[in-house]
């Protein structure tokens, strides 16, 4: 397992990679404020807030769900972001769907000034460039590279940096494999596939089976998995091993992209549903 979750004390591994060159560009072009988008438990929101504070840039988060404005202190992710100095702007879920439209973005610039705009999830060309650095020379001995997939930016960088003898397997954290089109924007390589067989019903959806897997994995290996991304990937890898998917004697590298900050919020949801807790 490649422990990208350990490269920064507060920022998920792939989010750190995605933000690296974006932050450098923002600083080089003398921006003072980063503006981005996310949901209630967004790893990206937490990462932008933490790194913005670290490098001395102001941060603004456009948050999906007006009802969350009254629940900041109850929400571990939003509370953390606010403590880092992020200005939180809550919009309705309907309005949030328009976040990529020109009129919506124009209104943001009129309200907040000339901000450096980061897309939801952080995926853009510079983000993919940063994610290409996930694979170093030490990864060259592996035959399979496995990673969880959200927007597809991290996988794009991994595929781009992969070697001819390697096969990249993306485990979608949500229903569908639409991220393939995102990967195709950034590389001509075809040595990969995305599967959603282990998404557990959709984004941020889990059940007692996955919770049990997370807790047993930690007990056995001493490694914490997050429920939204890496747990689904590792569950998938384990199942595919049982099914004989991987070639005999092949070496498999699983990329742990982090996301551990979201466990506290997930445990809140699980408690409300009287489901088992994720052990931390």
């Amino acid at each position: 397992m490649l422990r990208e979750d350990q490269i920064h004390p507060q920022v998920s591994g792939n989010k750190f990679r995605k933000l690296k060159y974006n932050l450098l560009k923002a600083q080089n072009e003398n921006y003072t404020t980063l503006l981005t988008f996310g949901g209630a438990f967004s790893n990206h929101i937490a990462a932008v807030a933490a790194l913005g504070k670290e490098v001395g840039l102001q941060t603004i988060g456009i948050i999906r769900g007006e009802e969350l404005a009254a629940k900041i202190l109850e929400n571990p992710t939003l509370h953390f972001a606010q403590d880092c100095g992020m200005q939180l702007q809550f919009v309705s879920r309907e309005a949030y769907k328009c976040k990529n439209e020109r009129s919506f973005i124009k209104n943001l610039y009129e309200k907040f000034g000339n901000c450096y705009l980061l897309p939801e999830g952080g995926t853009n060309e510079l983000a993919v460039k940063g994610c290409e650095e996930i694979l170093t020379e030490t990864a060259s001995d592996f035959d399979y590279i496995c990673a969880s997939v959200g927007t597809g930016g991290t996988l794009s960088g991994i595929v781009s940096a992969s070697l001819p003898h390697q096969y990249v397997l993306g485990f979608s954290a949500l229903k569908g494999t639409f991220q393939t089109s995102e990967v195709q924007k950034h590389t001509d390589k075809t040595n990969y596939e995305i599967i959603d067989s282990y998404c557990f019903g959709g984004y941020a959806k889990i059940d007692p089976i996955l919770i049990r897997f997370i807790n047993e994995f930690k007990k056995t290996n001493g490694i914490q998995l997050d429920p939204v991304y890496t747990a689904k990937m590792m569950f998938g890898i384990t199942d595919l091993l049982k099914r004989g998917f991987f070639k005999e004697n092949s070496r498999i590298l699983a990329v742990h992209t982090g996301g551990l900050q979201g466990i506290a919020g997930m445990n809140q949801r699980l408690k409300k549903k009287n489901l088992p807790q994720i052990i931390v």
Side-chain angles (χ1 to χ4, degrees):
M1 179 175 281
L2 181 59
R3 300 297 302 276
E4 286 285 289
D5 60 308
Q6 296 182 331
I7 65 175
H8 190 280
Q10 294 177 314
V11 182
S12 299
N14 66 326
K15 301 304 180 187
F16 184 89
R17 302 288 190 182
K18 286 182 174 183
L19 289 171
K20 177 181 176 180
Y21 290 108
N22 277 290
L23 287 181
L24 288 174
K25 182 180 180 181
Q27 291 173 311
N28 290 337
E29 296 183 2
N30 297 315
Y31 283 90
T32 59
T33 305
L34 305 173
L35 186 148
T36 195
F37 312 83
F41 302 103
S42 168
N43 292 323
H44 175 66
I45 287 292
V48 171
L51 287 181
K53 178 182 179 181
E54 190 172 297
V55 302
L57 292 174
Q58 296 177 12
T59 55
I60 299 169
I62 308 301
I63 308 300
R64 180 180 66 250
E66 291 176 304
E67 74 281 359
L68 296 171
K71 302 177 181 179
I72 295 175
L73 297 182
E74 302 171 23
N75 182 297
T77 301
L78 298 180
H79 192 190
F80 170 79
Q82 189 176 69
D83 280 351
C84 288
M86 176 174 274
Q87 180 182 345
L88 302 177
Q89 180 77 25
F90 298 89
V91 300
S92 69
R93 295 173 187 277
E94 195 63 32
Y96 191 84
K97 295 177 183 178
C98 304
K99 64 184 180 298
N100 295 323
E101 295 182 6
R102 286 186 178 182
S103 59
F104 189 93
I105 294 173
K106 181 182 178 183
N107 289 335
L108 291 178
Y109 283 135
E110 289 176 353
K111 182 171 185 176
F112 297 110
N114 190 29
C115 304
Y116 187 90
L117 203 67
L118 288 162
E120 181 181 33
T123 292
N124 57 19
E125 290 287 347
L126 291 176
V128 173
K129 178 183 177 181
C131 289
E132 288 176 1
E133 297 177 355
I134 291 174
L135 296 186
T136 62
E137 288 185 10
T138 57
S140 62
D141 292 336
F142 291 90
D143 305 293
Y144 294 91
I145 311 294
C146 298
S148 55
V149 185
T151 59
T154 300
L155 192 72
S156 296
I158 290 174
V159 171
S160 181
S162 65
L163 298 173
H165 72 276
Q166 295 177 323
Y167 193 71
V168 181
L169 192 59
F171 293 83
S172 183
L174 56 164
K175 287 183 179 179
T177 59
F178 56 90
Q179 305 96 329
T180 299
S181 61
E182 182 66 34
V183 178
Q184 290 171 344
K185 293 178 185 177
H186 303 287
T187 179
D188 293 328
K189 293 182 179 180
T190 59
N191 60 326
Y192 70 95
E193 70 174 295
I194 301 173
I195 59 175
D196 67 351
S197 306
Y198 305 98
C199 71
F200 281 80
Y203 184 73
K205 292 185 177 181
I206 65 173
D207 62 18
I209 294 174
L210 188 62
I211 298 168
R212 190 180 310 116
F213 176 82
I214 292 170
N215 291 337
E216 289 179 356
F217 190 90
K218 183 181 180 183
K219 182 179 179 181
T220 303
N221 302 289
I223 299 173
Q224 184 81 65
L225 301 176
D226 89 288
V228 178
Y229 295 101
T230 55
K232 294 180 178 181
M233 172 191 69
M234 287 308 306
F235 187 96
I237 292 172
T238 302
D239 187 61
L240 290 178
L241 281 167
K242 294 175 183 177
R243 295 172 180 268
F245 173 88
F246 300 102
K247 293 179 181 178
E248 192 173 352
N249 296 320
S250 58
R251 301 191 69 197
I252 305 166
L253 179 64
V255 181
H256 191 321
T257 48
L260 302 181
Q261 68 84 27
I263 294 177
M266 181 62 76
N267 271 340
Q268 285 183 347
R269 292 169 58 190
L270 293 173
K271 187 175 181 180
K272 290 178 181 179
K273 295 179 180 181
N274 293 316
L275 291 172
Q277 297 279 287
I278 297 168
I279 298 172
V280 294

